[in-house]
């Protein structure tokens, strides 16, 4: 019985860890000269556009970028399809 309970707890823990992986793709800019980029960033906590905005905006600002828009939030299953488009800004911020 203990093994079943421990196994169930382990499965729930792993499922929770997998769900906690959240990413957002976004658009950002720099001025003088104008530069635009599309990127993908990891987000902790709630997987929502509002939470992603709160986390990504200061990361970008620290490097002189302005967040324009969060495109979407997604789990690890969406990473591969966005990697080529994000290029050097893939998981950079």
């Amino acid at each position: 019985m203990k093994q079943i309970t421990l196994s169930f707890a382990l499965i729930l823990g792993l499922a929770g860890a997998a769900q906690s992986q959240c990413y957002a793709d976004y658009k950002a800019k720099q001025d003088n000269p104008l530069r635009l980029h599309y990127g993908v960033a990891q987000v902790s906590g709630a997987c929502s556009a509002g939470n992603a905005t709160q986390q990504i905006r200061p990361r970008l600002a620290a490097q002189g970028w302005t967040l324009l828009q969060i495109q979407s939030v997604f789990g690890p299953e969406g990473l591969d399809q966005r990697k080529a488009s994000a290029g050097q800004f893939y998981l950079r911020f």
Side-chain angles (χ1 to χ4, degrees):
M1 186 67 169
K2 278 186 178 181
Q3 279 187 312
I4 293 172
T5 304
L6 289 174
S7 296
F8 186 67
L10 179 62
I11 290 169
L12 286 177
L14 291 174
Q19 289 176 345
S20 67
Q21 290 184 349
C22 180
Y23 302 88
D25 55 348
Y26 64 88
K27 291 183 180 178
K29 73 169 186 162
Q30 277 184 333
D31 292 320
N32 298 322
L34 179 63
R35 294 177 57 201
L36 302 171
H37 86 250
Y38 166 82
V40 174
Q42 188 167 14
V43 179
S44 60
C47 200
S48 68
N51 184 42
T53 298
Q54 289 178 348
Q55 290 186 37
I56 296 170
R57 181 175 281 137
R59 294 182 207 169
L60 291 167
Q63 298 295 315
W65 291 94
T66 301
L67 177 65
L68 295 174
Q69 179 180 10
I70 296 294
Q71 298 290 104
S72 63
V73 291
F74 53 92
E77 69 283 348
L79 285 174
D80 287 339
Q81 68 191 39
R82 292 169 173 91
K83 187 173 185 174
S85 296
Q88 68 176 339
F89 298 104
Y90 178 76
L91 300 179
R92 181 174 175 184
F93 293 102

